[in-house]
Structure formats: C-alpha cells, structure tokens
Amino acid sequence: MNVTLDPSRDDLPLMANTSRILVKHYVLDLDVDFESHIIEGTIVLFFEPGNRLKKQSSSFEETCSSESSEVHEFRITEPCPTPVTNTRTFSSKAGYNDFAICGKGKKDTSDKDGNHDNCEQASGISSSQCYCDTGHDGSEDFLLVLDCCDLSVLKVEEVDVAAVPGIEKFTRSPQLPVVSEERRNQIVCELVTLPAHRWREQLDCYARCSQAPGCGELLFATDAWSLQIRKTGAQTVTDFPHAIRIQYRTKPEGRSVSWTSDQNGRPCVYTMGSPINNRALFPCQEPPVAMSTWQATVRAAASFVVLMSGENSAKPTQFQEGYLNWHYYVTMPMPASTFTIAVGSWTEIQPEACSSNTRATENIFPSCEDNFRWAGVCNHVEYPCRFQNVYATTQNIIPHRVFSPLCLGDVCQETLLQLIPHCLSAAHSILGTHPFSRLDVLIVPANFPSLGMASPHLIFLSQSTLTGSNHLCGTRLCHEIAHAWFGLAIGARDWTEEWLSEGFATYLEDIFWAEAQQLAPGEAQERQTLRACLRWHRLQDEVQNSAEEMQVLRPNKEKTGHTTDLGASVVKHGLNPEKAFLQVHYLKGYFLLRFLAKRFGDETYFSFLRKFVHKFHGQLILSQDFLQMLLENIPEEKRLELSVENILQDWLESSGIPKPLQRERQARPECGLSWQVSAEVTKWIRMNRRPKKRKRRQSQEVFEKLLPDQLVLLLERLLEQKTLHPYTLQSLQQTYHLPEQDAEVRHRWCELIVKHKYTRAYGQVERFLQEDQGMGVYLYGELMVSEDARQQQLAHRCFQLTQEQMDRALAQVVAEMLF
C-alpha cells in the first residue's frame, strides 16, 4: 500500500499489526510546553501476543498484494563511524526508510525534527508494500508496527520490569535462574492478566514498571504513517519484548492536537478527534480491536488545568516550583482513539449555593432498574464493570463538573450546569447503568470545528451551544451523553460504520431531551416529528450536494470488519476533508433507527435497546450484530418482510435516500408544529408582497411565538423565496429577536442576510463567522458564490482575522473557497 496519500481523497491507513501483538496498557509521562507548542516525554507499552491469526480476504489485502511484488529484507551493516544525517527520509526511487539506534553513552545525533540518525543502516521496508512480517515462522526478526504520524521519535528501548522490587510475586511459574527475556515477558504476561478486583494493584505495578531502567535499545524507523520497531534476534512475537519505552515529542503542526487560545486569550491545547485520531499525540495501535487501558501523568505550569479521559477527578500535586503533576487512569479497555486531553486556564464552574445541585435532583425520575437486569455475567473481557456494581446500576446521576474560560463562567452556571443532572438522569431512565463513573464537561475554544465531542469521562462542547435558549445546549449535551453507550461503551469494529455511533446518538438525543424536559408523551412526539422534518430537509440537501460514494454507510459491504492477515486495514475516505462536514451517517442512521422504532413500537424497541446495551457493553460490534439481535427479539408478525440482508442493502449499502424512507415521507402528513410554521410562512410571504407604503396603512400581521426548531424551519422555508425586501427582513429580525437566538437559528438567519444582501445586518454575519467557526463553512461559500464585491470582502476580512486560530482542516476548506 502506498503510504504517500493524497489527503483530499484517500483512505486512512491503520497500519498496526494487531493480529500479531496487542497493547494492553499505556503509561504516559508527558510535559506540555506552551512556548514551543510541543508535548514531550515517554510512553511505555505493555503487550500481550495477539491470538487473532485468521486469514481474512479483503480489498485492502488484495491491494497490498497487487502493489507489492517486491520483497525487501533487513540488512544490518557495521556501525557507521560518523553520524549519517537525514537517513530517515524516504528514497524517491526505492521508497526506503531506515532504522535508527543510538548506543548508550553516545552523543545525541537527533536531526532538526528530533529523530535520531541511523548509526546502523538497513535497507528498510518499501513504502509500497504492506508490513507483512514473517517473523512467526522464524525466518527473520519480528517487526512491531505502531500507528504514528507527525511525531519525532527519539529513542526506543526495552524495559527491565524484572528490576522492579517485589515484582517476582507476579510470576506464578518457577523462577528462571537468570534474568532473561523470557522472565521479563513472563512478568508482563502475569501483570496484564491480573483479575479485575486487583485493578489498583495492577495500576500501581504498571506505574512502577514504567519507571524501571532500560535494558537495551531497539531498532526503529518511522514513515508517514507508522513507527516500526524490532529487536535483533527476536524472531517471533513471543521473543519480542513485552514492555517497551518510547521517548518522543509531538510536532507543533501535528494533526492530533490543536494549539490555540481560549476566549480569554490564554494559551491552551486540546486533542482534535481528527481523522488521524491520536497517532500524532503518541505512538499507538489505532485499529478499534486494540482495546487497551491507560494511565497518564501530565506536567504543566501551575496556572493550567489538565483534563483527561480518566476515571478519577485528578487533584494536582507539586512537581517543582511553578509546575504541577496531573494523574489520570482508566480500567475499562477502549480503543486508543478515545483518549482525550485538554490543557488550559480552565475555571471550574461551581453551583450557586441557592441553586438546585446534583443531590437535589438525583430523584427527578423514578428508578426502574429492575427492567435493566438480566441473569448471567458480562460478555466483555474482565475489568471493573459498573454493570456488575449494584450501586452503579441505580445511580441515575453520576458526579460531574463543568469547566470553561473565565469569561463564559456566568452563562455556564445559568444554563449548562443546570442541564447536566436532568440530561444524565433522563439517559439513565432510558438505557440504564451509566457506563462511566464520572463526567467533566469543557467549553472549548472558538476554533473547535463542531458542536461537541464525547470521550470517556470528558465531553467537549462548543461555545455556540451556550447562546439563545437552552434548547441547543440541551440537545447537544444529550447527543454527547448518548455516546457514552453508543460510540464508547459499545464501539464499531470497523470505523466505516460510523452510523453505529452517530446515528444512535442523533436518534437518542431527541428521546433524552424530551425526558429531561418532562414533556407529556403527545408533546414529545410532536417535537420529535418536527425535528424529523428538519433532518429530512438536511438529508435531501446532503444527498444532492455530495458524491454518491460518500453517502454509503457501509462501503465495504460483506468485507466490513475484515483486515489483512496482520490486522492492518483502511478507513474508506478517512482522509477526505469533505467527510468531516457531511452528516449523511448521522442522518441516515437516525432515520433507520426511527423507522425501526415506528415499526416495532416504542415499548418493544426501548426494551430491546436496554437488552442490547447489557449484552454488548464493553465490546465492538458490526451492523449485523445489532440487526440480528433486534430481529430475533421482535415478534414475527412485526418483522414481516424485514431481514438483516434487506436492511443492509436498503439503508447502509446504497447511496441516496433509502426507498423505505422515501415511501414513509410521502405517506406521512406534517405534524401540528410544522403546520403552524407553514401558516406563519404564508403571513410573511403576504407581508413581503405588499408595497412598503401600503403596508403602513394596513393592519399589521400578528405572528405566533415559535420554538427554536420551528424558527429554523421557518427560515429554511423563507430561504426558498426568490426575493425578500429589506423591510421584511428587518421585521423578521425584530419579531423573533434573531441576533439573540441559538446558533442553529442564527445560521439560517445569516443565510437569509447573505442571499438577499441585507447590508444592515452584515455585522451579524461577521460575528457568526468569528464566534461560531465550526458552523460557518457554508456561509463562506455563500459569500463567495454571490460574486458581490462587498460580501467577498467580508469573507476575506473574517478569514484573515480567524485563520491563525482556525481549525486546520476547516481553514483549508475555507481557503479553497476564497482563493
């Protein structure tokens, strides 16, 4: 596979050979330097040999075979007497990359990017072939391949875990007469397989082992997408060190982290959840099957707060004068891509003494936990699982904190802090046990490229969710909370099946939000139908304005989940920048789940969802796992003409709008809330047609008060009008106080301003492009397409003001529109 990929259209490679060897635990020890925009330190990886050696045919494997007919062998030459510079660079012809090793006591010969020069050269691995090690048959050294990008790797060494005092108690087998590779690996095997009830002891031992001395440096090489490591003479995975330490540093341009400033102008950094996930934060195994635990110690100046995916609410300890240590850990194995960190001058928002707090709201909804219990043990690997903890199963509100820049503290206290207990309790009433023991919510900087992101124990929310009423904040919070079950506790085994995360979260956000507001069933149904109407319009737009291949939710079809013999794979279209702005997998997934709920009835459907969560939490799934269990649990008379095969074909493996959805939308009448909007649209069109002078003499139209979603629909309908006069737009703004509405409403309002060149409101468009950057991409396009000089100047001016802080992928897309 050619690893020099065109980011505008290519698939994302997952290079790690996870079928050979698996990381079971990471220990990170990092320093955050805001002056150099670098995170540096060490990561220790504890391995267990992989046992998934099934030979699976896949398009990725076939591509590798066809692209690589040449076999390259490692050749170790005599150590070079003088440093050789830049040997890590690929040859333009052969595509070679070199292995590097620096002996103890030798001068650090790092190049300007921080990679050690190669003092022992090898012919390396061709960039045009898969990393097909044959070490399992003893013919050459075993090769460890980790996913890695935009990192400077300085040193790789084996860790002498046998040197840790008292470590011998983890070795049940007879002790070997001398300390050997076998002894060290035996210790690690015992450590990673400790029973769940010894998790505290295990974490402590991991920490002590991570600080053990090195016992030999390892050969390593990096290319655009991976770090490859081997030990001379270790011909099988069993012989390869089971604990290694990697010293490295990130690069300021690394795509996994964003160095920026918060809304108070203070420096901060956070992980992006970008298409390349965490491989530019630390070397790791990115394929979802590489489920691991982790612990991390992060040092930063004392003025900063470190938030991270962790089960503990970390309290900092003194490192040295002016610097603090923050320590977090997780005991639930999850993909490395779910690890999240944010370092900044965050302020914890405390509840007011007179306001309702978590304790006061714990019993808003009655617990019906009896509905969530089934006989039998969990089906996942052993870990301290909350689903087996009686207290956890009845805990409808988990401990939570809110962090934000100081200037947003008041609005967070008034809105967000009040919403969290209600949304958590609503989620528990629908799905049962919270998979995670606590939650931090952080308002991230203005350059955050979306409305929210969920990771274990930590949710990022955009400042755009805080404006207007609490509607957008509540629905987005519910969306991210839903990811605790679908996306985190239950993950997709193949990243191309994003709908298993985003479709579920989009569907459940409406259900959770209605429960959080304690709406009557009829009112909840009306509002959910209105939101379905809005999403139907968005799906139609997406289908009309995106490539067909990007509209397929399961592009690999029957080969979904397949990998090469080593465990490598690709994510279809993973590097295509358009993918980040498409919502097809959100919308089609949402409509599939809504279709099934309507077909089977809410009571049956949600009873099944609770069973599904109980069975599959802590595991990775494919679409057929969900669909097969669903149809098995539904009475036969309700699943007539439904099968896994036709659902896959109609909804997941075809572009365009699914035929069952087309039929449903044609047959379904509009809801009452939608009819109300239609009546208001008629009034505005009538008003717009009147001459301005006559309008003053006639009686004014009386407009109804509308919900935020109704306002969005109203503005979308008015966008269909060819002409709206300035006085109509002025009346719209005054009637609905549009500049003070939430970001979804203001976005549609800005579209109207641009379309009809309403110059008096251009300042509102500028404000939106600067303060709601994650939602403003489409507006830049509209400003440029108009070919109006003043609008184009506005677009260029806003981009000039924000581009240095703007998300890099977003900035690239906007730049292509402007230049």
Side-chain angles (χ1 to χ4, degrees):
M1 185 185 77
N2 188 348
V3 294
T4 305
L5 300 172
D6 180 353
S8 68
R9 66 173 183 269
D10 281 309
D11 303 332
L12 173 70
L14 305 179
M15 308 298 288
N17 51 345
T18 53
S19 290
R20 293 284 183 266
I21 191 169
L22 286 171
V23 178
K24 302 301 291 184
H25 190 77
Y26 298 95
V27 179
L28 296 99
D29 194 346
L30 303 173
D31 291 277
V32 180
D33 187 342
F34 280 98
E35 290 187 6
S36 62
H37 285 187
I38 284 174
I39 299 174
E40 64 179 324
T42 63
I43 182 170
V44 178
L45 291 74
F46 295 86
F47 296 101
E48 179 180 70
N51 56 4
R52 291 181 300 279
L53 300 180
K54 298 178 182 178
K55 293 185 178 180
Q56 294 176 307
S57 172
S58 69
S59 57
F60 173 73
E61 189 173 21
E62 290 160 5
T63 301
C64 293
S65 311
S66 62
E67 290 184 352
S68 177
S69 58
E70 187 177 4
V71 177
H72 297 270
E73 297 180 354
F74 293 111
R75 297 195 306 273
I76 304 298
T77 64
E78 293 297 320
C80 52
T82 57
V84 179
T85 60
N86 291 326
T87 55
R88 66 182 179 81
T89 307
F90 282 111
S91 162
S92 60
K93 288 187 178 181
Y96 294 154
N97 55 328
D98 302 311
F99 275 76
I101 183 169
C102 287
K104 294 179 180 178
K106 293 184 180 179
K107 182 180 178 181
D108 184 347
T109 55
S110 302
D111 68 11
K112 64 181 180 180
D113 288 329
N115 286 286
H116 277 281
D117 295 324
N118 189 5
C119 297
E120 292 187 20
Q121 296 186 53
S123 60
I125 307 171
S126 166
S127 64
S128 63
Q129 74 177 89
C130 295
Y131 298 114
C132 299
D133 62 336
T134 55
H136 59 284
D137 61 14
S139 61
E140 61 182 46
D141 292 338
F142 170 76
L143 181 69
L144 169 68
V145 182
L146 299 174
D147 294 296
C148 175
C149 180
D150 300 335
L151 292 178
S152 296
V153 178
L154 309 177
K155 179 181 177 181
V156 182
E157 64 180 347
E158 180 178 0
V159 179
D160 187 6
V161 296
V164 176
I167 198 66
E168 60 277 356
K169 68 181 179 179
F170 290 102
T171 305
R172 293 193 295 265
S173 305
Q175 290 192 14
L176 299 170
V178 295
V179 175
S180 63
E181 188 73 65
E182 184 180 354
R183 169 89 184 282
R184 287 189 286 268
N185 286 351
Q186 188 180 59
I187 291 170
V188 175
C189 284
E190 298 287 349
L191 177 58
V192 301
T193 56
L194 281 178
H197 69 273
R198 297 178 65 183
W199 64 270
R200 291 185 186 276
E201 181 184 1
Q202 185 182 47
L203 286 175
D204 178 66
C205 196
Y206 277 136
R208 289 189 289 131
C209 285
S210 72
Q211 298 167 12
C215 56
E217 296 190 24
L218 304 176
L219 297 165
F220 70 93
T222 58
D223 61 26
W225 293 107
S226 69
L227 166 64
Q228 308 115 48
I229 303 169
R230 69 178 179 86
K231 178 178 181 179
T232 303
Q235 294 187 339
T236 69
V237 65
T238 305
D239 300 329
F240 189 79
H242 287 16
I244 65 172
R245 181 187 294 114
I246 301 171
Q247 182 183 350
Y248 74 98
R249 63 171 65 108
T250 65
K251 296 181 180 180
E253 69 274 16
R255 286 166 281 175
S256 292
V257 294
S258 177
W259 298 90
T260 185
S261 299
D262 67 16
Q263 291 84 342
N264 280 100
R266 299 293 303 274
C268 61
V269 62
Y270 62 89
T271 48
M272 294 294 297
S274 64
I276 67 166
N277 291 316
N278 282 322
R279 68 184 69 186
L281 179 62
F282 57 89
C284 57
Q285 291 183 329
E286 281 282 11
V289 295
M291 306 268 277
S292 58
T293 52
W294 59 75
Q295 61 196 105
T297 299
V298 177
R299 279 172 295 281
S303 59
F304 294 102
V305 173
V306 177
L307 302 177
M308 195 185 301
S309 305
E311 294 170 18
N312 58 314
S313 300
K315 302 298 180 184
T317 58
Q318 188 77 29
F319 171 62
Q320 62 185 42
E321 187 175 354
Y323 287 85
L324 297 176
N325 267 334
W326 300 76
H327 179 74
Y328 290 88
Y329 63 84
V330 298
T331 60
M332 174 183 174
M334 282 172 288
S337 59
T338 63
F339 179 96
T340 303
I341 186 171
V343 185
S345 301
W346 323 122
T347 298
E348 182 177 358
I349 311 304
Q350 301 288 349
E352 294 180 345
C354 59
S355 67
S356 60
N357 55 31
T358 300
R359 290 180 181 272
T361 59
E362 278 186 352
N363 294 313
I364 290 176
F365 301 103
S367 174
C368 49
E369 195 60 37
D370 290 342
N371 295 330
F372 306 145
R373 292 180 181 172
W374 287 271
V377 296
C378 297
N379 296 314
H380 52 68
V381 297
E382 189 178 12
Y383 66 85
C385 179
R386 286 175 53 81
F387 285 77
Q388 298 175 9
N389 183 310
V390 174
Y391 171 73
T393 60
T394 59
Q395 187 183 26
N396 59 340
I397 300 174
I398 55 175
H400 51 274
R401 304 181 297 181
V402 173
F403 293 85
S404 80
L406 182 61
C407 63
L408 296 177
D410 289 344
V411 66
C412 285
Q413 188 175 76
E414 294 169 5
T415 304
L416 181 57
L417 200 62
Q418 308 302 317
L419 287 175
I420 293 176
H422 297 273
C423 294
L424 287 172
S425 189
H428 179 273
S429 71
I430 303 299
L431 293 180
T433 307
H434 287 282
F436 302 103
S437 58
R438 67 173 200 94
L439 175 66
D440 285 340
V441 180
L442 171 67
I443 301 300
V444 282
N447 74 334
F448 187 65
S450 71
L451 287 178
M453 187 182 81
S455 62
H457 317 97
L458 178 59
I459 285 175
F460 289 170
L461 281 184
S462 166
Q463 65 177 27
S464 298
T465 64
L466 299 177
T467 57
S469 66
N470 66 6
H471 174 74
L472 181 59
C473 187
T475 54
R476 195 66 203 192
L477 181 60
C478 286
H479 181 102
E480 305 306 336
I481 288 173
H483 277 312
W485 287 269
F486 292 96
L488 296 173
I490 301 174
R493 187 150 59 89
D494 188 313
W495 279 354
T496 60
E497 296 205 302
E498 293 172 84
W499 82 273
L500 288 170
S501 174
E502 298 300 353
F504 272 93
T506 303
Y507 174 73
L508 288 168
E509 74 177 67
D510 294 354
I511 309 300
F512 290 178
W513 183 229
E515 187 74 13
Q517 297 174 93
Q518 296 183 302
L519 298 179
E523 186 178 2
Q525 184 65 40
E526 278 279 300
R527 296 196 184 189
Q528 289 164 22
T529 303
L530 174 64
R531 290 177 69 79
C533 179
L534 287 170
R535 291 180 179 130
W536 167 247
H537 292 307
R538 290 172 196 169
L539 179 58
Q540 288 178 307
D541 289 340
E542 294 252 328
V543 168
Q544 292 172 6
N545 297 291
S546 62
E548 285 192 7
E549 62 182 5
M550 303 290 285
Q551 301 170 19
V552 180
L553 305 195
R554 198 167 179 261
N556 293 330
K557 298 186 178 180
E558 71 276 2
K559 293 180 180 179
T560 302
H562 286 201
T563 65
T564 69
D565 193 39
L566 300 181
S569 62
V570 297
V571 182
K572 294 292 289 183
H573 314 301
L575 294 174
N576 191 325
E578 290 182 30
K579 195 169 186 295
F581 303 102
L582 288 178
Q583 294 193 359
V584 171
H585 48 289
Y586 290 73
L587 297 171
K588 289 176 75 171
Y590 158 81
F591 277 115
L592 170 57
L593 297 171
R594 181 175 169 82
F595 167 79
L596 295 171
K598 293 295 180 184
R599 180 72 175 268
F600 304 138
D602 286 349
E603 184 177 348
T604 299
Y605 190 62
F606 286 109
S607 176
F608 161 74
L609 279 186
R610 290 189 283 269
K611 291 179 182 178
F612 182 79
V613 165
H614 188 271
K615 178 176 180 180
F616 282 102
H617 71 271
Q619 300 175 77
L620 301 172
I621 63 170
L622 297 175
S623 294
Q624 55 264 38
D625 296 318
F626 169 73
L627 296 173
Q628 285 170 356
M629 183 175 172
L630 173 64
L631 296 183
E632 289 170 1
N633 280 266
I634 298 301
E636 185 175 355
E637 65 273 10
K638 289 189 176 183
R639 51 184 168 88
L640 293 174
E641 300 179 0
L642 281 184
S643 67
V644 172
E645 292 72 22
N646 62 32
I647 294 175
L648 291 175
Q649 183 177 353
D650 290 344
W651 291 88
L652 306 181
E653 296 177 356
S654 301
S655 61
I657 296 177
K659 292 180 181 178
L661 178 58
Q662 293 181 28
R663 293 192 294 267
E664 177 188 320
R665 297 305 304 180
Q666 291 170 359
R668 184 179 297 277
E670 288 187 334
C671 66
L673 293 176
S674 182
W675 279 115
Q676 187 180 14
V677 171
S678 296
E680 299 304 296
V681 170
T682 301
K683 294 178 186 177
W684 284 108
I685 293 174
R686 187 165 58 231
M687 174 181 173
N688 187 62
R689 288 173 179 168
R690 294 172 185 162
K692 187 175 182 181
K693 291 182 179 179
R694 273 186 61 195
K695 172 180 172 290
R696 292 177 180 172
R697 293 196 300 267
Q698 293 181 352
S699 60
Q700 295 289 321
E701 295 279 4
V702 177
F703 296 102
E704 301 291 334
K705 184 177 181 180
L706 299 178
L707 298 168
D709 284 333
Q710 288 181 298
L711 277 176
V712 172
L713 183 58
L714 173 83
L715 297 175
E716 286 184 353
R717 297 270 180 89
L718 292 176
L719 274 166
E720 298 170 1
Q721 298 300 307
K722 186 175 180 179
T723 303
L724 290 180
H725 299 298
Y727 64 79
T728 303
L729 295 168
Q730 181 181 8
S731 296
L732 268 171
Q733 177 178 322
Q734 293 174 346
T735 299
Y736 301 118
H737 308 287
L738 293 176
E740 289 79 48
Q741 295 291 341
D742 69 38
E744 291 274 10
V745 175
R746 287 186 289 109
H747 183 261
R748 301 309 189 284
W749 170 232
C750 287
E751 289 182 67
L752 274 173
I753 294 170
V754 172
K755 178 176 179 177
H756 299 291
K757 298 181 175 59
Y758 183 42
T759 57
R760 293 178 58 181
Y762 278 3
Q764 296 178 48
V765 178
E766 291 193 47
R767 174 191 162 199
F768 191 91
L769 291 176
Q770 293 178 51
E771 297 181 4
D772 302 280
Q773 294 177 27
M775 302 175 69
V777 176
Y778 180 79
L779 282 178
Y780 277 106
E782 291 297 296
L783 287 166
M784 298 305 295
V785 167
S786 69
E787 298 186 356
D788 178 86
R790 185 169 177 180
Q791 289 193 0
Q792 291 185 349
Q793 289 172 3
L794 187 157
H796 282 273
R797 183 168 61 253
C798 288
F799 185 61
Q800 186 176 10
L801 289 170
T802 58
Q803 64 177 325
E804 290 187 8
Q805 295 292 332
M806 190 179 286
D807 171 74
R808 278 163 288 186
L810 193 153
Q812 178 186 346
V813 172
V814 173
E816 291 174 357
M817 294 177 179
L818 269 56
F819 304 106

